[in-house]
Amino acid sequence: TRSVSDAVGITESQATGGLASIFNYAKDNISTSQFSELSNALPGLESLLGSVPDISNVTSEGGLSSILDKAASYSDSFKSVNELNKQFEALGLEPAQIMQIVNSAKAYLDTEQGQEIKALLVEGLGKFSG
């Protein structure tokens, strides 16, 4: 989380919550066995997921957020993206920072042993278009 915090220019708490939200999104978009592989490769991932921010008090105030709320009722894919956006909002982050954190995490995983982890994360984020 420290490298993500430094790279993106956010607090470590925001980096932790942002990474938790991104991995949670990925978890919902890959198979159970793939997520199990990811969890085995990243010790502490399950506990990190406990840092996904609560979005029960996040409300949409018009614009794109309102549109995503409506679209979310019709599509699981839109629902996942909408929840991820709201989680970032709850952390005081902009939705545009999602890709900054993803790219920072992917760069961190650009080691030989991180390539398999990175491939699973990228597959899990495949439906997210930014």
Side-chain angles (χ1 to χ4, degrees):
T1 58
R2 182 173 294 135
S3 69
V4 170
S5 171
D6 292 344
V8 180
I10 57 179
T11 68
E12 282 193 47
S13 177
Q14 288 173 315
T16 299
L19 285 167
S21 297
I22 288 166
F23 278 108
N24 189 59
Y25 178 91
K27 177 182 179 179
D28 291 342
N29 289 285
I30 58 178
S31 71
T32 303
S33 65
Q34 288 174 311
F35 188 75
S36 180
E37 285 180 52
L38 190 58
S39 292
N40 290 336
L42 287 172
L45 180 57
E46 288 294 336
S47 65
L48 176 69
L49 291 177
S51 297
V52 173
D54 177 18
I55 60 170
S56 61
N57 293 325
V58 177
T59 57
S60 299
E61 301 192 17
L64 183 59
S65 295
S66 266
I67 293 169
L68 279 175
D69 278 346
K70 288 180 184 173
S73 66
Y74 298 104
S75 164
D76 287 341
S77 181
F78 281 125
K79 181 180 178 184
S80 293
V81 170
N82 193 36
E83 286 177 1
L84 184 58
N85 283 331
K86 286 183 178 189
Q87 289 162 353
F88 268 64
E89 186 179 329
L91 293 166
L93 299 172
E94 297 292 322
Q97 289 175 297
I98 294 170
M99 288 312 299
Q100 290 177 330
I101 291 175
V102 167
N103 290 334
S104 178
K106 285 180 357 184
Y108 183 76
L109 295 171
D110 267 340
T111 61
E112 189 175 320
Q113 53 280 56
Q115 290 302 302
E116 186 175 323
I117 297 165
K118 182 178 173 181
L120 288 169
L121 176 60
V122 169
E123 185 174 335
L125 293 171
K127 294 180 184 175
F128 182 74
S129 58

